[in-house]
Amino acid sequence: MLHFLLIALLLLFTGAAFSYFTPHDPLHVNMKERILPANSEHWLGTDHLGRDIFSRIAAGAKTTVGTGMLILAAALMIGVPAGLVSGYIGGLFDRIFMRVVDAFMAFPDYIVAIILSGLLGPGLMNLIFAIVMVKWVGYARLVRGTVLSLKQKDYVLLARINGLSSVRILWKHILPHVAGHVLVLATLDLGKVILMIAALSYIGLGAQPPAPEWGAMLNDGKAFFYHSPELMIIPGLCIMLVVLLSNVAGDRLRDKYDVKNAKGGLQ
């Protein structure tokens, strides 16, 4: 378990640390040094505006990975309590809640995120809101289904008989059992969220120039792909590496907690 936590901490703090120790200003434009190959001064070369690629990749980690973490945190803060309450209360409230969840999940999350981002307009904050709106329902549905099975367990029934409040039962007896499922889904979801951030930024709905963001860097480099393919390859490899790490960690956690349908919650 320790190495999974180390991976999460690495993803969380690497971008923030690199953004303060980059060798060059990631926003500095120098047309005299545009599209230089890797050298001792510019470790990964420069882009079409003479900006240091390594510095922009490092600063972009803070934007891309940090935004992904923020989106997951917001989705968990909405989805987990909603799923707990809906599953535990049941009845009419649960039926209405599930119709809302079904409405959100009736369309692919990428399509809904693109529509919401298009309606709200380009920008990182609008992108965050759009993705959170399509991701919280997966956690709510997972938690709600788990609570429905747990609330019939003997230890929960005994807690009710002993007079424990619903809040204490949810907090002490149900939430610890839900946490493993949520952790697996969130770890698997991190890669998908980062792909969504990069995709929306690539089509101009996310981070706006000159902000360093991996998806936006892919868009900047596409016009120079045949002459300088590294402008797209380097940020593409960074995205692939982070997604691969999150998927590997999620698969291992799923095996550890024996969660059979964690990936199903991502659909």
Side-chain angles (χ1 to χ4, degrees):
M1 185 63 181
L2 179 59
H3 57 290
F4 297 125
L5 294 177
L6 290 176
I7 290 174
L9 290 174
L10 179 64
L11 293 175
L12 183 61
F13 293 113
T14 295
F18 278 4
S19 65
Y20 294 105
F21 295 100
T22 51
H24 300 276
D25 182 355
L27 302 181
H28 177 66
V29 174
N30 186 352
M31 297 303 292
K32 295 180 179 179
E33 297 185 346
R34 63 190 304 268
I35 313 184
L36 292 179
N39 55 60
S40 58
E41 183 179 359
H42 302 285
W43 300 340
L44 295 177
T46 61
D47 66 6
H48 62 293
L49 295 177
R51 297 172 297 192
D52 183 66
I53 294 176
F54 177 83
S55 299
R56 289 183 63 78
I57 286 289
K62 181 179 180 181
T63 303
T64 305
V65 180
T67 301
M69 293 285 190
L70 177 62
I71 288 171
L72 282 180
L76 288 171
M77 292 177 64
I78 298 172
V80 172
L84 285 171
V85 173
S86 177
Y88 189 78
I89 293 177
L92 179 62
F93 178 85
D94 182 54
R95 290 195 294 272
I96 295 174
F97 176 77
M98 286 310 299
R99 298 297 76 78
V100 173
V101 170
D102 290 341
F104 272 95
M105 301 188 73
F107 303 95
D109 48 9
Y110 272 97
I111 301 300
V112 178
I114 290 173
I115 292 173
L116 288 176
S117 296
L119 291 174
L120 295 172
L124 196 58
M125 292 305 299
N126 291 338
L127 176 145
I128 292 172
F129 177 81
I131 299 180
V132 169
M133 287 298 99
V134 301
K135 298 309 297 181
W136 73 270
V137 292
Y139 298 98
R141 188 171 188 176
L142 173 68
V143 172
R144 180 251 183 192
T146 307
V147 172
L148 287 177
S149 63
L150 290 176
K151 72 177 185 178
Q152 303 301 327
K153 298 292 185 180
D154 291 340
Y155 60 86
V156 176
L157 296 176
L158 287 173
R160 289 178 182 173
I161 293 173
N162 289 330
L164 265 69
S165 65
S166 297
V167 174
R168 284 186 59 84
I169 292 174
L170 287 171
W171 179 260
K172 186 175 181 180
H173 296 287
I174 294 181
L175 184 58
H177 295 276
V178 172
H181 295 73
V182 172
L183 176 62
V184 173
L185 181 57
T187 308
L188 288 168
D189 226 6
L190 177 61
K192 188 171 184 180
V193 168
I194 287 176
L195 284 175
M196 294 179 72
I197 295 169
L200 291 173
S201 295
Y202 178 81
I203 63 177
L205 293 176
Q208 298 299 297
E213 195 281 325
W214 293 345
M217 291 177 68
L218 285 173
N219 186 42
D220 290 341
K222 68 181 181 181
F224 308 91
F225 180 75
Y226 291 105
H227 180 266
S228 301
E230 69 275 7
L231 296 183
M232 293 191 73
I233 291 174
I234 293 173
L237 287 175
C238 291
I239 295 171
M240 183 183 72
L241 178 61
V242 173
V243 172
L244 179 62
L245 284 174
S246 68
N247 286 341
V248 169
D251 286 337
R252 296 292 297 274
L253 283 173
R254 183 185 57 184
D255 295 338
K256 177 180 177 63
Y257 287 103
D258 194 28
V259 179
K260 302 300 183 183
N261 297 316
K263 282 188 175 180
L266 296 177
Q267 303 301 322

